[in-house]
Amino acid sequence: QVQLVESGGGLVQAGGSLRLSCAASGRTFSSYTMAWFRQAPGKEREFVASINWSGSYTNYADSVKGRATISSDNAKNTVYLQMNNLKPEDTAVYYCAKGVFVVRPSTPQSYAYWGQGTQVTVSS
């Protein structure tokens, strides 16, 4: 059993910053990947960033490169997404996901566990 709970979303002006958190509970895995996806109304779920269990490998969508940083704190079983210079197009519900033995980190189907999401709204 794995549960993921996101927090940290909210309303921010363009150019501002937010740090999203994803707290994980449940059993651990020998190898896993944590990721952030986002979904705006009427659009498909979009990959944002991922990080492997050791933090040695990260991956970012082109749309957020240079503006987003994913990190993890294994002691707290938490993954973070720091987003800077936010743009209105970043507005979406952001979801945390966890998958085991992930080889395609940008693919939603790689992840078996998902949080309920946290809303990020960027005003212009």
Side-chain angles (χ1 to χ4, degrees):
Q1 182 179 357
V2 175
Q3 294 183 355
L4 306 174
V5 180
E6 302 95 334
S7 63
L11 176 64
V12 63
Q13 295 185 39
S17 299
L18 283 174
R19 190 179 77 157
L20 308 182
S21 299
C22 173
S25 62
R27 67 187 186 188
T28 60
F29 303 93
S30 59
S31 179
Y32 65 88
T33 297
M34 300 287 291
W36 289 94
F37 289 78
R38 65 188 183 186
Q39 188 166 24
K43 296 185 178 180
E44 294 183 349
R45 191 159 296 190
E46 176 188 25
F47 171 77
V48 178
S50 67
I51 186 169
N52 71 335
W53 69 273
S54 67
S56 61
Y57 180 81
T58 58
N59 190 29
Y60 296 93
D62 288 341
S63 59
V64 301
K65 284 182 179 178
R67 301 189 297 117
T69 302
I70 188 170
S71 61
S72 62
D73 185 337
N74 290 337
K76 296 181 178 180
N77 294 314
T78 301
V79 64
Y80 305 94
L81 181 68
Q82 176 71 42
M83 297 194 69
N84 302 320
N85 191 25
L86 285 161
K87 305 177 183 298
E89 52 262 42
D90 294 319
T91 296
V93 176
Y94 283 69
Y95 296 93
C96 177
K98 184 176 183 178
V100 294
F101 299 104
V102 171
V103 296
R104 298 178 177 86
S106 63
T107 302
Q109 288 72 29
S110 295
Y111 303 90
Y113 307 100
W114 294 81
Q116 291 296 103
T118 184
Q119 177 71 48
V120 172
T121 302
V122 183
S123 62
S124 60

